[in-house]
Every structure is written in structure tokens, then in C-alpha cells.
Amino acid sequence: MTKFDQVSGNPRVRYFGNVRVGDALTLDTLRSMYSGVVLSYGASADRQLGIPGEELVVPARRFVAWYNGLPEAQGLDIDLRRVDRVVIIGHGNVALDCARILLTDPSDLASTDITAQALSALRESNVKHVEMVGRRGPLQVAFTTKELREMTKIPHLRILCDRDLVASECEKWASFVDSSRSLKRMMDLLMSHAGKDGGEKSFTLSFLKSPVEVTERGVRFQVNRLDGPVDQAKAVGTGEYIDTPSGLVLRSVGYATTPIAGAPFDERRRIVPNIAGRVTHNGDVVPGLYAAGWAKRGPVGVIATTMQDAYRTGDAIIMDITNGHLRSGLPRDSVDEGLRESGVLESCVTNEQWKHLEAFEVEAGRRVGKPREKVTSVDRMLDIIGV
């Protein structure tokens, strides 16, 4: 049983899916019904490169959504049969995950919950080489050792990087590397696998390059140098340029939170402004309105980081309840009446219906030897659960 199952099974918890806040149901309406409202809607937009040819770039977020079965990404138009080389701009976990999917033998993915559509496209893929490029050096990468280790497990994959650069940076900043077990483990892992013989597929980690233009033929990069101490190093262009051929370019340079109607939003920092999880407007706390996760602090950290952040927001809510800072919400019958008037109850998906959809996917997956076979159309989902 997952944590979600445990929480959703609590009779005091209700789930309303297929609802877009800001349309028929406004944030003000929700706040009038409940003692508190938590904004925890993540970061659904992408950071841009801001360079010529960006329209030729595929956001990694959309690529990940495609092979994970999110309905809004199923129209992604890429033909992997025509692609031999892929360039991924960014050095984070999402970039590594994209590389892993592109280079893993589809037969090894067939027993996972990857969608049937994505698996079919990957079976026909001609991708042999993936290069992941970052503007800074090996000691500044944003991915984790766990994700890098997954790449090393791909059979017969050649892993390439500038070993001399990695070695010199580790030697130059030895005390910094030794002070971080995770970083030292990652550098040791990289050095132990980079340059080994392999098969026809390769994965290259490139450092110190910033994209300046994308064309139909590939990407032009400016070579960088690092300026400043290792933990605050900035990439500075050298004026030297390199052209890298590529049939597909993925952008993985971070996400961005977007505003939600009726809630304060910091356009510069791209977060919901808050103090310890309590939403603020012009510096003043908005009573009963809270934020958690990436909407609260920006798209950084891993799942464990976000969990701890959510606990802290939960602590703030409990403190406000204890200190009498929250007014009473409406009785459940009154809440239901308000939701009915907004049209939510007619079209929403309940937890029981969601569990029915989950059971449908699990059974469909069982028949083909997978954990689940995801339904990738919202209309099909609603049809299955009878909404």
C-alpha cells in the first residue's frame, strides 16, 4: 500500500479529480468553504534557452510525459527512426532519465509501465548516440549518483567524458570533493566506467559548453571556462565555438511554476510568495492560504526534499490551528452544495473511480506482463470509470 493509498483511505480525506481551479471553481470559492487551502501544484512550464532555433527543441518535460503516458503529451511529433544522434541540454536527473530511455534496449523496457505507444516507437528507434551537455564542470552537475548508476547498468553501453577534466577538477578541489560523500561517490563511479569498451551505443557527458544556436543540423555551443570557487563557479564564455550534429535536441534546463488565478505570485522568482509555507501578498500573510513543494520554493530537489518541505508546511498549518488563527470551514453538506453549484460534482473523479481506473490499468498490464498498461486519453479514462 502506498502513502497515497493510506491517506486517501482516511474517511476525512476526499479526492476530486478532473477539476481545473480557476474555471467554474475559483480559488476564492474554495477559500470560502475551507479553513485552509494549500497550493501544491508544482511547476508545469519549462525554462527557456532564449537562443535562435529554440522552436526546433523538444522540452524534456514533454518527452518524459510522452513515454510516461500523460494525455497532454501524446501528440508529440518525433520520428526516432530518422534519428541517430540526440543532444540533451542540461545536467539534471530528468536529462539522465531521457538518455536512459533512449539508449536502453526496448526489450528491457517491455516489462515496465512505459506506454505501449512509446515502446513501439522505441523499438523502431535508430538512436545510437546521446550527448548530454552542461554549461559548467563535472563537480557542478545536478544529477544524482543513483541516476548515473542506472546508466552504468545498460548492457554494452559506452560511457564517455573528458576523463582528464574530471581528474584535474577532482584534484584541484580535493578537499571539497572529500567533504561530500555523494559527490566523491559520483566522481568515482564516473571515472570507473568512462572509457570502457562497449557496443555500438554511446552516452557522452560533455562539460563547459553553452548552447548559442539550434539548427536543423544540430547545436552550436560556446566553450566555457569556470570562474570562482567550486561551489559558486560561474560559466564564462571563451569565444570558442563547437558545432555538434544532432537529429533531435532535448531541453532540460529546469521547470517553472505558473500563476494560479486568485493567488499571489512572484513573477521574478516564479513561486507563490510565502513565509515558511504561509502565502503572503505584499509582505503580509494571507490567512488560511498555504503553499508546498515546487510552487512554494521553486523546482529544485528530489522527492525526499519535497516531502520534508510538505511536512514543514503541515507543521505551519497545525500551529495556526492550535493558535486559533484559522476560522472554521463550512460543514461538509454546505461544501457539497457549493461544489454542486459550481458543477464540480457532476464531472469530477472520486477516489473510488480513480481506484477503478487503476485496477483497469493493472489488469491490462497483467495480460501483457507489465505492472500496468496506462490509459493515455482523458476521454478514454472517463469512459472507463463512467463519468
Side-chain angles (χ1 to χ4, degrees):
M1 177 178 288
T2 66
K3 180 65 70 174
F4 181 85
D5 291 326
Q6 294 174 0
V7 173
S8 64
N10 188 315
R12 295 182 298 166
V13 176
R14 293 199 293 175
Y15 172 82
F16 297 92
N18 197 38
V19 178
R20 184 181 295 275
V21 176
D23 292 342
L25 181 65
T26 67
L27 181 60
D28 285 343
T29 299
L30 281 174
R31 294 185 61 203
S32 70
M33 295 177 177
Y34 293 94
S35 301
V37 174
V38 181
L39 304 176
S40 186
Y41 57 90
S44 59
D46 299 285
R47 290 181 59 191
Q48 304 288 307
L49 296 171
I51 60 175
E54 184 139 26
E55 69 278 1
L56 301 173
V57 177
V58 175
R61 177 188 61 81
R62 186 166 173 79
F63 183 70
V64 172
W66 169 69
Y67 64 72
N68 276 325
L70 272 68
E72 63 268 25
Q74 296 314 297
L76 182 62
D77 184 21
I78 54 173
D79 187 354
L80 296 177
R81 294 171 299 182
R82 300 184 176 185
V83 178
D84 175 62
R85 294 179 177 272
V86 177
V87 166
I88 305 176
I89 300 171
H91 270 178
N93 281 337
V94 173
L96 261 183
D97 203 41
C98 291
R100 179 181 62 83
I101 291 295
L102 287 165
L103 292 169
T104 297
D105 190 319
S107 62
D108 293 330
L109 296 173
S111 59
T112 71
D113 64 356
I114 192 170
T115 66
Q117 297 95 317
L119 187 60
S120 176
L122 290 166
R123 288 190 190 282
E124 298 182 341
S125 170
N126 193 42
V127 173
K128 298 293 188 295
H129 311 285
V130 175
E131 182 170 351
M132 212 168 97
V133 186
R135 71 184 189 280
R136 297 195 293 172
L139 303 186
Q140 290 81 32
V141 295
F143 54 76
T144 61
T145 304
K146 178 178 180 293
E147 291 296 326
L148 179 60
R149 185 173 289 113
E150 291 301 312
M151 293 297 297
T152 68
K153 294 178 181 178
I154 299 177
H156 312 300
L157 177 68
R158 287 182 296 132
I159 297 178
L160 307 171
C161 72
D162 186 337
R163 289 175 57 89
D164 290 340
L165 174 65
V166 175
S168 65
E169 285 293 287
C170 287
E171 180 180 356
K172 179 180 180 180
W173 303 103
S175 60
F176 177 78
V177 174
D178 291 340
S179 69
S180 171
R181 280 187 60 190
S182 60
L183 181 59
K184 181 172 175 50
R185 191 181 303 124
M186 185 191 302
M187 293 299 105
D188 289 343
L189 180 67
L190 180 58
M191 290 294 281
S192 65
H193 285 82
K196 285 186 176 180
D197 292 338
E200 63 176 352
K201 291 185 178 182
S202 68
F203 169 65
T204 302
L205 269 174
S206 290
F207 308 105
L208 300 176
K209 295 193 291 187
S210 291
V212 295
E213 184 181 11
V214 179
T215 69
E216 295 283 357
R217 296 181 300 277
V219 188
R220 167 161 285 198
F221 291 97
Q222 180 172 201
V223 177
N224 298 326
R225 61 176 177 81
L226 292 180
D227 185 30
V230 61
D231 56 341
Q232 302 174 37
K234 295 183 178 180
V236 179
T238 63
E240 178 186 350
Y241 296 90
I242 296 176
D243 291 318
T244 301
S246 177
L248 173 65
V249 180
L250 299 180
R251 177 188 66 222
S252 184
V253 293
Y255 299 147
T257 300
T258 55
I260 186 170
F265 191 74
D266 187 328
E267 291 285 355
R268 183 182 64 82
R269 300 172 61 199
R270 305 296 296 178
I271 62 170
V272 176
N274 69 91
I275 299 175
R278 298 176 179 89
V279 174
T280 61
H281 180 60
N282 294 330
D284 297 324
V285 171
V286 180
L289 192 58
Y290 302 88
W294 285 5
K296 170 186 174 182
R297 59 187 172 80
V300 292
V302 294
I303 292 176
T305 314
T306 303
M307 287 176 58
Q308 293 301 318
D309 176 78
Y311 294 151
R312 285 190 285 271
T313 295
D315 289 340
I317 296 172
I318 293 172
M319 182 183 299
D320 289 349
I321 292 173
T322 303
N323 294 333
H325 294 163
L326 295 183
R327 59 171 180 75
S328 298
L330 298 179
R332 179 166 287 190
D333 288 346
S334 299
V335 170
D336 286 349
E337 181 60 32
L339 295 176
R340 190 173 294 108
E341 291 176 357
S342 299
V344 169
L345 293 186
E346 296 177 4
S347 59
C348 74
V349 174
T350 65
N351 185 57
E352 290 74 20
Q353 290 169 320
W354 182 86
K355 295 296 288 183
H356 178 67
L357 175 62
E358 181 185 42
F360 179 93
E361 292 184 336
V362 170
E363 173 58 23
R366 185 192 65 78
R367 292 195 293 266
V368 293
K370 299 171 64 176
R372 70 174 67 230
E373 187 63 73
K374 296 174 182 176
V375 179
T376 59
S377 161
V378 172
D379 288 342
R380 176 65 175 140
M381 293 177 186
L382 297 178
D383 181 61
I384 291 168
I385 62 181
V387 174

